Amino acid sequence: MEFANVSERQAMSPELAVSTVIFALRDEADDGEAVGRPTLWLPLIRRTREPYRGQWALPGGPLGARQTLQDAAAANLRATTGLAPSHLEQLYAFGGLDRSPAHRVVSIVYWALVREDDEQGTEAAPDAGGAPTHRERLLKDPNVAWFPARDDAVIEALAFDHAEIVRYALWRLRNKVEYGSIAHRFLGPRFTLAQVQEVYEAVLDRRLDAANFRRHLRGAPGIEATDEYLHGGKHRPPRLYRYAGDTAAVPQENTNTEEQRDRS
Amino acid sequence: MEFANVSERQAMSPELAVSTVIFALRDEADDGEAVGRPTLWLPLIRRTREPYRGQWALPGGPLGARQTLQDAAAANLRATTGLAPSHLEQLYAFGGLDRSPAHRVVSIVYWALVREDDEQGTEAAPDAGGAPTHRERLLKDPNVAWFPARDDAVIEALAFDHAEIVRYALWRLRNKVEYGSIAHRFLGPRFTLAQVQEVYEAVLDRRLDAANFRRHLRGAPGIEATDEYLHGGKHRPPRLYRYAGDTAAVPQENTNTEEQRDRS
DNA sequence: CCGAGTTATTGTCGAAGTGACAATAAGTCA
DNA sequence: TGACTTATTGTCACTTCGACAATAACTCGG
């Protein structure tokens, strides 16, 4: 249990990587069904080398010497989506012995929420000239693709132990949404309560009673009614709300704002 | 964001260590006051080399090549207390750039509960002959000592960022206790409800109503009444209860049974 | 043996929260 | 204008929870 010299220590110490589970809400359904309700999607990277060459995996990479864990996770996010996270939080450190066939790799995994319509964090204004932006390039990259987070056929076929990681991330997302005010991070600065409800329903994967849900949100801190209404719909125009809590999209290093409980 | 060759990667990758915050419940008060109520204590290690030589720190060490993260945490625990954990769970991975003055170190921190009266996991029967057991040696080791977990003077003076880590571990312990059935892990196989209440009060650091607390525990799963009573006290003998949930003291690798919510 | 003292245990009551669901409001569309 | 749809409010029974009264059971001092 004592340190040896530096070279020996480095020879012993397993490789350290940071991966990120990225969630976004999308409207389209995979198949022909016109669903109308948004569902959870996540981007994956196709591996271009062994092991697991050709299979889909979570975005990730080694931790740079001058990179915070959170920085590395944000870099994963940006490389995969071109977006800034609207929420980013550490999930778990996975350190099993046989996660990767050849080397021993310890992965510190983060999970993130993004808004795809978010223009913050996107590269500078699209240069009228011609060079495609990072996001435009990503859309054409055959090794980056989005999948429904509940598509078991895809998730279970992921490389390494990434299926387990995604299941755990989904579970954490559910718990976080059930309690707190995280749902609005999928939405823009102004939103209707029905939109928040759709987020809840997509994440929890069940229907909620609109009346009770509204009452629930009244109690929640940070959600404030504006005096604006969303016009242009086919029916009674709903009131717009805004979130008036901590505006910081990305929590600071070692934010430790999460809470853990045991329901078992 | 691409891997370089192996040697370059190892040169880049920060050092990886595992530390453990260990909690136990003890009766004695630090000063002369005869408190009667048990309080939270934790063991610390005095550093014998730079940096922070002479200061107290959390038990920890580098991750062995054939060691699971959980194994490494259990090894910390055993080296520090000679006991097996009655609960062991990952806390957080700390990866700030300046946690250690010289090297860059990423620490994966666990937190644990132990029962000091627990004979499980203690070294084999004390050899009548003479060689002191590991636990006996630890009691005399001037570089291992127990401190009250709420002694700010001690905690704030810890080496590295360990003060922050202990604060976070305390907060997680509180949340875990508030919700779930973790308190009994401080206790033996048979316990009274008053003892469980004492655990709650020590962890949450506030008094609870006995009647409401009892009702609360009735709803909790796993806690079963026995038909035995604890005799020998000075007053009405309380009924003994037992925990009938998962008996595994240490959760399996990647247990992921924790839950996270956001109260902010 | 009795009654005071202390802890253990159960019961009660009002406030607050929650799910189911009825009722009303305010738009669009034919 | 009226049917239709979504938005929003209200109601009711049920549960949960904190505060606290009331009862039970034991020890101990006389």
Side-chain angles (χ1 to χ4, degrees), chain B residues 6 14 23-24 26 56 59 88 122 125 132-133 138 142 156 170 188 201 260:
Chain B
V6 172
F23 293 113
R26 290 191 164 190
W56 295 98
L88 181 59
T122 313
T133 65
L138 282 169
E156 297 303 324
L170 267 170
E201 291 182 339
Q260 295 217 355

Side-chain angles (χ1 to χ4, degrees), chain A residues 94-220:
Chain A
F94 293 84
L97 295 178
D98 299 315
R99 302 183 56 242
S100 180
H103 318 56
R104 167 90 188 276
V105 181
V106 172
S107 291
I108 298 177
V109 181
Y110 277 71
W111 65 280
L113 307 184
V114 297
R115 279 198 295 134
E116 294 191 84
D117 55 324
D118 193 353
E119 291 310 309
Q120 288 179 356
T122 313
E123 335 261 277
D127 28 358
T133 65
H134 180 38
R135 285 202 69 187
E136 287 165 354
R137 265 197 311 274
L138 283 169
L139 290 177
K140 294 175 189 161
D141 188 335
N143 293 321
V144 178
W146 288 76
F147 297 91
R150 304 198 197 272
D151 185 337
D152 282 350
V154 171
I155 300 302
E156 297 304 322
L158 289 179
F160 305 105
D161 54 354
H162 290 187
E164 178 190 353
I165 294 176
V166 169
R167 283 194 298 265
Y168 184 40
L170 267 169
W171 179 81
R172 271 271 274 275
L173 171 59
R174 259 197 305 273
N175 285 319
K176 202 89 177 189
V177 159
E178 265 178 359
Y179 194 107
S181 32
I182 197 75
H184 64 90
R185 297 216 182 263
F186 279 114
L187 303 171
R190 297 284 140 105
F191 45 82
T192 70
L193 294 189
Q195 288 173 322
V196 182
Q197 186 177 347
E198 281 182 335
V199 175
Y200 271 71
E201 292 182 338
V203 170
L204 303 180
D205 203 20
R206 63 186 165 95
R207 306 301 307 276
L208 299 173
D209 181 277
N212 296 332
F213 183 76
R214 163 178 306 269
R215 187 175 49 192
H216 184 70
L217 284 196
R218 275 202 198 288

Side-chain angles (χ1 to χ4, degrees), chain B residues 122-142:
Chain B
T122 313
E123 337 259 278
D127 28 359
T133 65
H134 180 40
R135 286 202 68 185
E136 287 166 354
R137 266 197 311 274
L138 282 169
L139 289 178
K140 295 175 189 161
D141 189 336

